[in-house]
Amino acid sequence: MANTMNLDQKISPKKIMILSHLFPNNEFVNYGIFVKEQIKAFAAYSFLTIAVIIAPVPYSPVFFKYVRRKWDKYAKIVPTEKCCDILVHHPRYLVIPGTNYYWIKGITLGVAVWLKNYQVDIIHAHCLLPDGLAALFLKSRNCNAKIICTIHGSDLNVYPSYNRITRFLIYYVARRVDQIICVSDALREKILEISPNANVTTIKNGIDFDKFAPQEEEQKPDSQFNILFIGKVKKEKGIYDLLSAYEAVKKSHQHIQLTIVGDCSELDPRINKASTADNHIQFAGVVPNEEIKNYLNQADVFVLPSYSEGLPTVMLEAMAAKVPMILTPVGGIPEVVEHGKTALLIEPGDISALSAAITKLLVDRDLRKQLKDNAYTKVRAEFSWKSNVDHLSKVYEKFIR
């Protein structure tokens, strides 16, 4: 077992590659932070070693920087760096903006890694598309290589709706990889509908309890009530529902404040401008993952009214930081929390229910304490990174044997 081995005597009987376009880099430090955190935990708890990390980034011609700031940042990403003493390569691949062309990423990313001719035995791709498809490209040069693919949520819940080609390629990959890992049982059930004979297991995300620890209990004055949202600021995350609910609650509770943490580039400029005029709404933008805990420690309630999720890492972070939560029962969320016990659950798009839930927690301090204490006990018992790594190591070992 991994936890009985001497970690100073690590072995690498097979070359294991991590392939993920989600992996963070020097310009996008929070992008797919869960992939990096898993690798850090793997380095700490497993007797196996990862040989290389391939984290492709979009090719950005010089003139693109005048179109969008994001493309300027792509151009500044370094070719190689290190994570836990593992070399991270950032090969470039062509990206055509727009969801209609998302499927092309799988092909261009696949060509990029195929040309590099990496020699490995196990390819662990994160997301069915583009990384899973790219792994199949790479397998053509590593005929005996085994492909493991982790499904995080959007690659199965959102991307197939883009168009028929994207959906076809996602289903194509799902039926041809050697092992699928899902971060929730809901995703596992969904993939088995697509590929009934797939080799699927559920390994839920972990959490760094040292980083996301609860702040010492303190009694805040009733004149302060801080609502926190963390995530991609877009319609699918329920951000417009939250803004509407906030306005409704504010009519009778003037002292509430709303803090929104995340990339606001997809937020409707008109709504963004109107919300910015309210000095009780703070748009914090993208912040380093190390600073998320500061926002959680200042929050009275964490709200994530999503329409689609896999298993949101930020939910686990809020639980570990002892912040009461309002969530929607989508994806793997109902597998973790129970309405009225560890969180308040409302249906996606139900602004009235969201307003009522915020008001309920605003006035009921005892309920807030009950929810956060129960959630903290739950996350500490079931969502350690060590447990995550132990399960992942067993998957690797199966193919190594």
Side-chain angles (χ1 to χ4, degrees):
M1 297 292 293
N3 58 356
T4 62
M5 298 296 293
N6 183 349
L7 296 183
D8 294 328
Q9 298 177 345
K10 293 198 174 192
I11 59 174
S12 186
K14 294 281 187 179
K15 288 185 177 180
I16 302 171
M17 168 196 283
I18 304 298
L19 175 59
S20 175
H21 79 292
L22 297 172
F23 198 81
N25 52 61
N26 59 295
E27 289 293 323
F28 298 89
V29 295
N30 288 342
Y31 196 44
I33 192 69
F34 43 81
V35 181
K36 183 176 181 179
E37 290 298 311
Q38 185 181 62
I39 290 172
K40 288 168 61 178
F42 194 86
Y45 297 122
S46 179
F47 70 93
L48 300 173
T49 58
I50 293 170
V52 65
I53 301 168
I54 308 301
V57 296
Y59 166 66
S60 179
V62 176
F63 64 88
F64 269 34
K65 69 180 182 180
Y66 300 109
V67 179
R68 290 186 67 181
R69 182 173 177 270
K70 179 173 71 173
W71 289 94
D72 185 32
K73 296 182 73 173
Y74 284 146
K76 296 176 181 177
I77 296 173
V78 298
T80 59
E81 53 186 324
K82 280 196 172 184
C83 172
C84 303
D85 290 327
I86 305 168
L87 195 61
V88 181
H89 293 276
H90 295 297
R92 300 281 175 168
Y93 68 104
L94 182 66
V95 174
I96 300 177
T99 57
N100 285 334
Y101 307 105
Y102 190 84
W103 60 274
I104 296 177
K105 292 175 68 172
I107 296 173
T108 56
L109 195 155
V111 170
V113 297
W114 184 86
L115 290 173
K116 295 292 184 181
N117 194 22
Y118 300 106
Q119 296 300 309
V120 291
D121 302 294
I122 296 175
I123 307 167
H124 184 177
H126 286 266
C127 292
L128 292 165
L129 193 71
D131 308 281
L133 184 60
L136 292 177
F137 273 71
L138 191 56
K139 185 179 173 69
S140 67
R141 285 194 160 181
N142 296 259
C143 296
N144 295 320
K146 300 297 182 181
I147 301 176
I148 301 167
C149 188
T150 294
I151 299 175
H152 292 278
S154 294
D155 48 336
L156 195 59
N157 293 331
V158 179
Y159 301 163
S161 66
Y162 287 168
N163 52 50
R164 292 181 179 178
I165 302 177
T166 300
R167 182 168 58 253
F168 169 79
L169 290 176
I170 287 173
Y171 291 5
Y172 177 87
V173 174
R175 294 175 178 130
R176 282 164 178 78
V177 298
D178 299 287
Q179 173 77 54
I180 293 176
I181 297 173
C182 296
V183 298
S184 71
D185 289 330
L187 288 172
R188 182 179 183 277
E189 292 172 6
K190 197 166 186 177
I191 200 68
L192 286 173
E193 293 176 3
I194 297 169
S195 182
N197 297 321
N199 189 5
V200 188
T201 188
T202 300
I203 303 179
K204 295 181 179 179
N205 292 333
I207 187 71
D208 185 340
F209 297 118
D210 292 328
K211 182 188 295 185
F212 296 96
Q215 195 176 42
E216 290 186 11
E217 294 284 346
E218 62 177 59
Q219 293 293 323
K220 292 183 180 179
D222 291 334
S223 60
Q224 297 178 13
F225 189 82
N226 302 316
I227 304 167
L228 176 65
F229 170 94
I230 302 174
K232 185 76 172 178
V233 186
K234 58 182 181 179
K235 182 179 179 180
E236 292 78 7
K237 291 290 185 180
I239 188 62
Y240 297 123
D241 299 337
L242 176 55
L243 288 170
S244 297
Y246 162 80
E247 292 295 338
V249 175
K250 189 183 174 187
K251 292 177 181 178
S252 54
H253 300 277
Q254 294 290 324
H255 61 287
I256 64 171
Q257 299 186 20
L258 173 61
T259 301
I260 297 172
V261 177
D263 181 2
C264 296
S265 60
E266 294 185 31
L267 189 63
D268 187 319
R270 294 169 297 177
I271 295 177
N272 195 354
K273 184 177 180 180
S275 300
T276 304
D278 185 336
N279 59 13
H280 291 289
I281 299 180
Q282 176 191 3
F283 288 92
V286 178
V287 302
N289 187 253
E290 290 72 18
E291 295 180 15
I292 293 295
K293 62 181 180 182
N294 299 329
Y295 288 91
L296 287 168
N297 287 337
Q298 294 300 316
D300 293 293
V301 60
F302 170 72
V303 183
L304 186 66
S306 296
Y307 287 74
S308 174
E309 288 288 351
L311 186 73
T313 301
V314 68
M315 174 185 69
L316 303 180
E317 293 169 350
M319 294 170 73
K322 273 195 169 185
V323 183
M325 304 177 296
I326 300 173
L327 308 165
T328 48
V330 297
I333 291 176
E335 300 168 26
V336 180
V337 297
E338 181 181 344
H339 176 66
K341 182 177 180 181
T342 46
L344 296 185
L345 298 178
I346 56 100
E347 289 301 316
D350 192 336
I351 298 173
S352 297
L354 180 54
S355 303
I358 293 173
T359 302
K360 189 172 185 178
L361 289 183
L362 190 156
V363 300
D364 194 337
R365 190 187 294 270
D366 291 338
L367 178 58
R368 297 205 303 266
K369 178 171 174 53
Q370 173 191 322
L371 294 179
K372 68 183 182 181
D373 287 348
N374 290 340
Y376 179 74
T377 300
K378 173 84 172 179
V379 76
R380 292 286 302 193
E382 300 181 18
F383 292 90
S384 70
W385 271 122
K386 185 180 183 306
S387 175
N388 177 283
V389 169
D390 285 346
H391 285 89
L392 180 59
S393 295
K394 290 176 182 177
V395 172
Y396 288 162
E397 288 177 56
K398 178 175 66 176
F399 291 110
I400 289 171
R401 288 197 299 269

